[in-house]
Structures are given as C-alpha cells and as structure tokens.
Amino acid sequence: MNSRVAYFCMEYGLDVKMKTYAGGLGILAGDYLKGAKDHGYPMVGIGIKWKQGYTDQRIDEEGHPYDAYHNYGYDFLEDTGVKVNVTIRKQPIACKVWKVDRFGNVPLYLLDTDLPENPETWITGQLYGWFGEERIAQEMVLGIGGIRALRALGYDIDVYHFNEGHALFAGFELMREKLEAGTSFNQAWAQTRKEIVFTTHTPVVEGNESHPIERLLYMGAANGLTVEQLVEIGGAPFNMTVGALRLSRMSNAVAELHGETANKMWSHVEGRSEIVAITNCIHKPTWVDDNMIQVAEADGDLWQAHLTNKIALIDFVEKRNGVRLKEDKMIIGFSRRAAPYKRSDFIFSNQAIMGPLLASGQVQIVFSGKAHPLDDTGKEIVASLVKMAKKYPESVVFLENYDMTIGAALTRGADVWLNNPRRPKEASGTSGMKAAMNGVLNLSTLDGWWPEACEHGVNGWQFGDGFESDNEAELDAHDLEALYQVLQEEVIPTFYQNKDKWVQMMKASISSTKDRYAIKRMLEDYYNKLYNN
C-alpha cells in the first residue's frame, strides 16, 4: 500500500490562469500534483490562495523593470465550506479553505485570509512579498493552518512532505497536538519526525530563510514551544532549513550533484536527517509536444516537426515584441529567474566575439525572466538584457513578465537551450528537461540535472568541464572561454553545416530524457525512497 501523502508548498504552477506561482519551485509542485493524478498516487496538496500572486514585472520606457500587482479572482475554485483558525500576533485569523482539482491534478487545498471577519486580511496577499513578519504569518497559515485544514477535511495522512522550508510550522503543529495529549517534548519530536519528509532546493546559503527567535515568539509561530526548544530545533537565529532537516525522518536534494552540495552545506547540522538525491522531473503532457516524441520514435521528419514549433515561437515573439526572428537562423532560448549566480547576461561578456554574431543575425537569442521585487541586483540584470535587445533589435529579444506561457513557447520553439549557472549553485533546472524532450539541444555548464544526462556532442553540449572555484572572477573567465569555444567550434557549425548531425542530436536528446525525466520516475523514487519506508 502506498503511503497517503500531504504535500505542502508555498506556490503551485498548475496553469497560467492561476497566479499562485513565482518560478521553478511552483512549477515543480504543479507538475508533481498532476503526475500524482495521472498515476493514481494517494496525495493531496496544501498551499495558499494568493490574492495578488507574484509580481507582474513590466519594462518601462527607459528599459528598467517595475512591479505591478493585480487582485485576482478565480471562478474555478470550489468552496469546501471549511474554515480553520490560526492565532497570529495573539489574534485569531480565519483561513478559508478552497479546493482546486480542474487542471488534471490531485486535490489541492488553498488557504485564504482575505475574509471580512479578519483584522488582517492581507496575509495571503502577495507571494514572497514584503518582509520577515509577513513571511512568518504566511508560513503559519500554510503550516499550522494546513494541518488544521487536513483535520477538518477528514484526511488521514501517513506522510507530510515539506517542499522547501516554508512549511516547517506544520511540524510545530504536529508536535503541539502530541504535547497537548500529554507527550513529552522529546517524544513529540521523535514521533513527529517519523511523519515528515523534506525537500531542500536552494544550494545558496543566503537563500535559506532564517528569523530572529524573538520574531517567531512575537508572531506566535512558536505554537507553544519554548525558546530553548526552538533553538534546539532550528538554532538561533532560527533557520527554517535547519529546522526542517531536524524535524524530518528523511530529506532529499533535487539532483545528484545537488545531493553532494547539500550534504556538504549542511554537514555541520547535528541530528539532521539523511539527505538523499532524487532528481526532479517534468509533467510531459503540460510541457512537451507529443508530436516531437512520436516523430522521433517513428524516425519521421524531426526537423519539420521542430520547425512548426519554431515558427510558433517566432509568431509569439512578433506578437509580443514586434520583432520577426528568422526561421533559417539559430535561436537560443534562455528563461529563468534573474539571480546573479545564473549569469543571465553572461553570453554578452565579450562584445568582440558576440557583436558580429548578433549583428549578422547568425545567432538570435530570446530571453525571459523576472527579478524578485526586492532584488535590485536582479533588476539590473534584467535591464542589461533589455539594453542588449535595444542594441541588437533584430536578433536579441527580451520577453517581459515571464510565465508558464512564455516558458512553454521557448522550451518548444528554440533550437538551443542555454544555461550557464556558476557550478554548483543550480539545484536542478527543469526547464532544460522540457527543452530536451522537445528536441531543443541543451548547451549548459555541468550543473543541476545536466551532469547526469549530458552526452557531449551526442544529445547536447556541456562547457566548462565541471570546473569549480570560490573565486568568481576565475570561474567566470574559465566558463566564458569554454562557452565561446563550444558555441563557435561545435554548436554554430553543426547547425549551419551539418543538419543531419543536428537532427540526430535532437533525436538522441528526446530518447535519452523522455522517460528518465518524466514525473512518473520522480513519483516512484519519492514513494520508494522517502514515503513508503
């Protein structure tokens, strides 16, 4: 019998109509719930109904990103009739529970504080918005409210899966239930650990959330635990990832390399759970053109099938930006969050090399991606991409307000999928899997999932040979030289002079990834390695 799982996540990307996701974490969670439905696994999701979601990020006339927020209403949510209370800053906050199950997903329950009876209606206003207090309040709704919602809905759960540290307060609520029944703190902790598994994503220490203990107490997040007990679980300041590692029986990283990185990164944490590696996957029906897989398997005209998707991307770009890219010229796609380690504008570092390639139109690049609303450095990266699009208007495009629609168009229609994070800072990078299954060839540093899948010159390319250095200038210089070498000596010549080889590589890309990185494999791994043991 498969364990009954409650999956907790701050964001879910199920459909572009539903603005409850920011990026990769949410897309993964949405794909996972769809896969659980497809393959009949006993799982439910717990999340938050965000009134404004993440930012809509637009570009102003000067070429700088700015943030806009809409109040979104959804007529496809089902009212469960359930409300639960969470005490935040000594005030009872009512959380209404909505159900979503119409995007081919197992039931997802979303908690909502936007109710007239609440003194604070905006807790579930903006995903990852505002400051530390708001974040704790939101995480209390997700975690404490989520457990109470499951109880009120009558679910009998075997395993609570925390996708990232945001759900940690659900563990506090599970402990509170046991403590109130007369169990000792250590027993409550030990029993709760048996019920929780945890997925860690962020391989950058700064990206792992922490709070002063005083803030947890003031907000009411301690949920009955003492200062000493909080410190024992998550340290001081209280680190959400450390707390989750100590409150779970098993944890996992999201790629083989990330498993090594995470174990190194958290090796100093005493009493933490073991971290195993389970590489992320994607929901094929959502992201992959089934025709590409069928044509590849039947040995049909793969280039013609790809050209259909490429022209659809060219039409999409023209409609959005008024630029008509050329179908006989190579299109490189790059879309991801604008964070410094992802090096979005890396390819432009040497204008003497890139200038002629872009001016001639031999290389065309379509970018997309958002910066976090409070990340000025990320916004400068976006502005630099927009600047290059103005400099090379025929061959560089930046699509504003990155979302699932843009992601799907790019991972189907580009010829090459570029990814150049500083190794080993990429956790997984599922967009590359989407590209690969659509016959779009990956050109990437050996980071995230790509070291497991890459057969250089066979199903895509790597550059940099997995080089690592704590000296960023040294790492960047090494990777840049490697990128230009592979681009100029292998990628461009193959595209323009050896189409047969290119098509063979497309076929190899599809066949080597279509099963291995499909969500079915990921579900099987989670059940075998985390849930059922």
Side-chain angles (χ1 to χ4, degrees):
M1 264 299 281
N2 280 323
S3 298
R4 294 159 298 191
V5 177
Y7 184 86
F8 284 71
C9 193
M10 197 82 150
E11 48 169 308
Y12 290 89
L14 284 166
D15 189 89
V16 76
K17 292 194 285 288
M18 215 173 137
K19 311 291 182 180
T20 50
Y21 65 95
L25 183 76
I27 301 299
L28 176 82
D31 280 12
Y32 198 57
L33 296 194
K34 290 175 184 175
K37 172 79 169 179
D38 291 349
H39 303 293
Y41 284 100
M43 188 183 298
V44 293
I46 298 288
I48 288 179
K49 177 186 175 286
W50 299 104
K51 185 170 183 172
Q52 294 184 333
Y54 197 54
T55 172
D56 281 322
Q57 201 161 76
R58 302 292 175 186
I59 307 297
D60 68 19
E61 284 170 14
E62 277 76 52
H64 296 288
Y66 67 94
D67 298 295
Y69 294 92
H70 298 258
N71 292 348
Y72 290 105
Y74 304 113
D75 57 7
F76 50 76
L77 299 180
E78 182 187 318
D79 185 350
T80 63
V82 168
K83 276 186 194 173
V84 295
N85 270 342
V86 179
T87 302
I88 300 175
R89 285 196 299 221
K90 297 185 176 164
Q91 296 189 93
I93 302 292
C95 307
K96 187 174 176 57
V97 183
W98 302 91
K99 181 182 177 183
V100 191
D101 61 0
R102 68 168 47 196
F103 299 110
N105 58 288
V106 291
L108 167 61
Y109 295 98
L110 301 176
L111 290 99
D112 175 18
T113 62
D114 186 24
L115 307 171
E117 66 261 39
N118 277 337
E120 315 247 1
T121 61
W122 272 91
I123 293 169
T124 55
Q126 286 179 10
L127 172 58
Y128 305 135
W130 308 310
F131 307 104
E133 288 186 14
E134 287 84 0
R135 176 67 64 86
I136 287 175
Q138 292 168 347
E139 290 169 341
M140 289 172 71
V141 169
L142 176 68
I144 299 170
I147 296 291
R148 292 177 185 175
L150 287 167
R151 302 286 182 259
L153 291 161
Y155 277 98
D156 201 0
I157 299 297
D158 301 309
V159 179
Y160 301 88
H161 181 172
F162 299 173
N163 192 32
E164 208 38 289
H166 306 123
L168 176 63
F169 300 139
F172 286 14
E173 175 65 5
L174 292 170
M175 287 181 72
R176 184 196 62 77
E177 291 177 340
K178 296 171 183 65
L179 289 166
E180 286 195 359
T183 312
S184 72
F185 169 70
N186 285 333
Q187 282 177 309
W189 187 351
Q191 287 169 17
T192 298
R193 273 194 76 154
K194 290 177 182 165
E195 303 174 296
I196 295 171
V197 298
F198 167 56
T199 301
T200 180
H201 293 258
T202 312
V204 184
V205 174
E206 304 76 43
N208 288 270
E209 190 184 323
S210 65
H211 298 280
I213 293 277
E214 293 76 16
R215 191 186 285 159
L216 296 191
L217 295 170
Y218 162 64
M219 295 301 293
N223 206 23
L225 297 177
T226 66
V227 171
E228 293 73 24
Q229 289 165 350
L230 290 172
V231 173
E232 219 180 316
I233 293 170
F238 188 93
N239 186 295
M240 300 292 277
T241 304
V242 171
L245 285 167
R246 285 191 179 135
L247 261 186
S248 53
R249 67 169 191 235
M250 284 283 279
S251 297
N252 75 289
V254 291
E256 295 290 337
L257 177 63
H258 181 230
E260 293 171 28
T261 307
N263 274 300
K264 219 176 287 176
M265 188 163 136
W266 303 112
S267 60
H268 64 283
V269 179
E270 286 178 30
R272 69 168 172 88
S273 49
E274 180 190 352
I275 302 174
V276 297
I278 299 176
T279 304
N280 283 344
C281 288
I282 64 163
H283 184 247
K284 278 198 296 195
T286 299
W287 298 107
V288 181
D289 175 12
D290 193 48
N291 185 49
M292 289 297 292
I293 293 180
Q294 286 177 13
V295 171
E297 287 175 341
D299 220 8
D301 189 341
L302 199 56
W303 182 253
Q304 202 51 50
H306 168 65
L307 213 51
T308 304
N309 290 336
K310 185 173 181 177
I311 291 165
L313 172 63
I314 290 169
D315 292 344
F316 181 82
V317 167
E318 184 176 35
K319 194 175 166 191
R320 291 281 179 107
N321 284 45
V323 177
R324 183 83 192 171
L325 298 174
K326 295 174 178 61
E327 67 183 73
D328 61 338
K329 303 291 187 191
M330 187 169 78
I331 295 178
I332 295 175
F334 185 106
S335 62
R336 45 190 56 82
R337 190 163 52 85
Y341 77 86
K342 292 180 184 275
R343 301 188 292 195
S344 304
D345 48 4
F346 194 53
I347 195 169
F348 298 128
S349 301
N350 186 331
Q351 281 296 298
I353 291 176
M354 286 311 295
L357 292 173
L358 295 167
S360 67
Q362 197 174 13
V363 171
Q364 308 173 106
I365 316 179
V366 184
F367 290 94
S368 193
K370 290 178 181 175
H372 185 282
L374 303 180
D375 179 9
D376 290 342
T377 309
K379 288 184 175 177
E380 284 167 21
I381 293 170
V382 171
S384 75
L385 295 174
V386 175
K387 195 174 170 185
M388 294 308 290
K390 286 180 175 172
K391 186 172 180 180
Y392 300 102
E394 302 293 305
S395 49
V396 179
V397 172
F398 182 82
L399 296 170
E400 68 181 0
N401 205 30
Y402 182 39
D403 64 5
M404 287 176 76
T405 304
I406 292 173
L410 272 172
T411 50
R412 289 180 183 213
D415 298 303
V416 175
W417 193 252
L418 177 64
N419 188 30
N420 42 234
R422 292 188 180 109
R423 176 180 161 125
K425 295 194 170 169
E426 181 79 276
S428 187
T430 52
S431 61
M433 299 171 187
K434 295 162 193 166
M437 289 186 210
N438 280 306
V440 176
L441 299 181
N442 277 269
L443 169 62
S444 175
T445 53
L446 286 171
D447 203 3
W449 75 292
W450 191 229
E452 300 165 43
C454 177
E455 298 168 67
H456 183 84
V458 177
N459 68 353
W461 298 272
Q462 65 85 19
F463 59 93
D465 298 316
F467 180 70
E468 292 181 24
S469 172
D470 291 333
N471 180 331
E472 281 188 359
E474 181 190 22
L475 180 63
D476 289 356
H478 172 277
D479 286 354
L480 190 67
E481 186 184 348
L483 168 59
Y484 289 146
Q485 186 179 355
V486 175
L487 182 66
Q488 291 176 293
E489 295 177 14
E490 297 188 60
V491 181
I492 291 172
T494 307
F495 183 84
Y496 287 106
Q497 291 151 32
N498 194 346
K499 198 58 109 240
D500 287 348
K501 184 187 176 189
W502 190 277
V503 172
Q504 280 307 115
M505 289 182 71
M506 288 170 66
K507 190 182 290 185
S509 173
I510 293 168
S511 65
S512 65
T513 58
K514 66 182 174 64
D515 298 321
R516 191 172 165 194
Y517 298 102
I519 210 87
K520 182 173 188 281
R521 196 269 300 151
M522 183 180 164
L523 280 154
E524 286 167 356
D525 278 357
Y526 271 94
Y527 272 89
N528 292 334
K529 295 179 182 179
L530 255 61
Y531 300 160
N532 285 345
N533 56 12

